[in-house]
Amino acid sequence: MAAHHHEHGHDPSVAHHFESAEQQRQSTKLGMWVFLATEILFFGGLFVAYTVYRVNHPEVFVFGAYFLDTALGALNTVVLIFSSFTIAWAVRAAQLGQLRLLRWLIIATMACAFVFMGVKYVEYSAKWKHGLLWAGSYNPHLEHGDEPAAGHGEAEAPSSTTGAPEAGAPADPDRSTIAPAAEGPHGLAAPAVAADPHAMPVEPANARVFFSIYFMMTGLHGIHVLAGIAAMLWLLRCLGRGDFDGGRFTKVDMVALYWHVVDIIWIYLFLLLYLID
Amino acid sequence: MSEHTAHGVHVASLRLLVGVMIALMIGTWLTVSVTHYDFGFLNIWIGLAIATTKAILVGLYFMHLRWDKPFNAFVFISAFAFLALFIGIALIDTQHYQDVLIPGWPVE
């Protein structure tokens, strides 16, 4: 810090190892893009798990998606897209030095983030109520009397089948307990529910896998939304102490880039989890 | 369509931002609508195509990649390329032993 005193005319907002404010801005931005690339790879592991399970066991995903509310998912998509718009507008406001507008746009984006988390809360509590949870916590107890006919997972094999191999025979631990539809119990072809296309599909073995993947993916995304709220609170603090005076907008720009990635990931999560027919 | 500040920084016009947002909303409506039609195995690819178009719109305009240094876009896109590699090789691998793990695989 003391070095600043020796350089007359040195911009205090530019760190010493940078030639100019522009070079500093470009370096910050490159660092942010590298971080965002690691974020994509962070979620990437979960997308790999999703793809491998869905390709090999599509019936598990058809069953699981039945319990997700497409309307709430679509509402959250609209809310996030709108918040992406407000934070993109906030960058413009910061660039043009419109600080009052900037404050309102940051607050609007935060409000959208809270609405998103509120809708998520409604969705999560419905899953919680029905025991549609991850892995070992999966213990469905559904209302309306339309319990899945195939029992609650691998332990209870369907009893209605004749001649077909048992879906849940735990004889060989290395063997998948999920029978493909072609040779599985007749329940998978669902003759009983064929009359009503909106009836709940019969529960396949290992339906819990869907809910494990659902909670991991939306949970990690939700944590990112919370981090986004924290980042925007930080922006408001920076705004209050005058960091954005004189058209300095890098911090707003970086938080906006992060927020857009949260939006992009949700665009895919909505499609891949909610819109399975 | 676009302005610049005194420092030569690109500023996206409000009209452009609103236009992109409306396009994203239409894309969302489209994604939900096409699930009501059965295109067989094409459904997921149509959905992914619409989602990817939306992601590209967000990247190009909201994230300024269109006016940014190409290297930033290269860094970001490379993450997706490696993810595609990850998913692709994992699928090739897993499909090679499904017939051992699941009786009757592949389902014909």
Side-chain angles (χ1 to χ4, degrees):
Chain A
M1 286 297 131
H4 282 290
H5 299 295
H6 303 295
E7 287 179 46
H8 298 288
H10 180 84
D11 183 348
S13 68
V14 177
H16 249 276
H17 46 284
F18 292 115
E19 289 263 307
S20 63
E22 178 59 14
Q23 193 202 22
Q24 173 170 272
R25 196 173 72 80
Q26 292 297 346
S27 306
T28 311
K29 207 191 255 188
L30 176 59
M32 193 65 198
W33 280 109
V34 171
F35 167 67
L36 296 179
T38 67
E39 285 283 85
I40 296 300
L41 297 175
F42 185 17
F43 277 92
L46 291 172
F47 277 100
V48 170
Y50 172 92
T51 311
V52 168
Y53 265 98
R54 180 158 177 195
V55 166
N56 290 310
H57 311 293
E59 73 282 359
V60 168
F61 288 81
V62 172
F63 175 80
Y66 175 84
F67 298 98
L68 300 193
D69 192 331
T70 305
L72 289 181
L75 171 66
N76 261 352
T77 310
V78 167
V79 167
L80 269 199
I81 287 173
F82 184 75
S83 73
S84 250
F85 162 70
T86 54
I87 200 73
W89 188 4
V91 171
R92 175 187 154 85
Q95 287 170 328
L96 299 177
Q98 302 163 332
L99 296 185
R100 258 178 71 86
L101 179 63
L102 173 61
R103 176 184 302 276
W104 281 112
L105 288 170
I106 294 171
I107 290 172
T109 311
M110 273 177 66
C112 289
F114 277 110
V115 170
F116 181 91
M117 291 312 288
V119 173
K120 263 298 26 110
Y121 171 78
V122 171
E123 291 190 271
Y124 276 6
S125 48
K127 306 281 175 306
W128 185 273
K129 198 171 123 210
H130 293 131
L132 296 166
L133 300 175
W134 50 88
S137 306
Y138 178 75
N139 176 31
H141 36 87
L142 306 157
E143 288 166 349
H144 318 305
D146 51 5
E147 285 281 315
H152 298 321
E154 58 190 283
E156 298 172 45
S159 55
S160 62
T161 56
T162 48
E166 289 203 343
D172 181 357
D174 289 334
R175 237 173 140 76
S176 170
T177 53
I178 300 180
E183 65 141 28
H186 301 312
L188 291 176
V193 294
D196 179 7
H198 299 292
M200 192 175 72
V202 175
E203 182 182 357
N206 286 348
R208 69 190 62 201
V209 171
F210 176 85
F211 293 97
S212 297
I213 289 176
Y214 167 79
F215 277 104
M216 280 300 291
M217 294 187 99
T218 59
L220 185 63
H221 181 266
I223 290 170
H224 278 77
V225 172
L226 292 178
I229 292 173
M232 280 175 252
L233 282 172
W234 172 71
L235 280 186
L236 287 176
R237 186 165 156 262
C238 293
L239 178 62
R241 67 182 184 209
D243 284 10
F244 307 141
D245 295 352
R248 275 180 275 143
F249 68 98
T250 303
K251 287 172 183 170
V252 185
D253 201 14
M254 298 306 106
V255 172
L257 288 179
Y258 169 81
W259 192 250
H260 294 313
V261 164
V262 172
D263 184 26
I264 286 176
I265 289 168
W266 180 259
I267 286 173
Y268 283 96
L269 288 184
F270 174 55
L271 169 73
L272 295 176
L273 292 172
Y274 290 76
L275 299 178
I276 302 171
D277 218 3
Chain B
M1 183 150 139
S2 60
E3 312 147 41
H4 290 82
T5 64
H7 310 293
V9 171
H10 179 266
V11 182
S13 77
L14 195 52
R15 250 183 69 191
L16 176 70
L17 295 179
V18 171
V20 170
M21 182 197 55
I22 291 170
L24 291 172
M25 295 293 183
I26 293 172
T28 304
W29 170 79
L30 205 58
T31 322
V32 177
S33 309
V34 294
T35 57
H36 298 139
Y37 300 93
D38 186 10
F39 298 113
F41 75 96
L42 277 178
N43 267 60
I44 184 67
W45 293 108
I46 293 170
L48 282 173
I50 298 171
T52 304
T53 307
K54 286 163 75 184
I56 289 172
L57 280 177
V58 171
L60 277 181
Y61 298 103
F62 281 180
M63 300 174 91
H64 283 110
L65 278 176
R66 184 171 168 191
W67 308 284
D68 217 345
K69 290 196 169 159
F71 189 67
N72 291 337
F74 173 78
V75 168
F76 195 50
I77 292 168
S78 70
F80 288 94
F82 280 109
L83 177 57
L85 208 58
F86 192 2
I87 291 176
I89 293 176
L91 275 183
I92 291 170
D93 177 60
T94 186
Q95 298 206 319
H96 267 99
Y97 52 77
Q98 285 309 314
D99 54 342
V100 182
L101 288 176
I102 303 181
W105 183 276
V107 181
E108 293 294 342

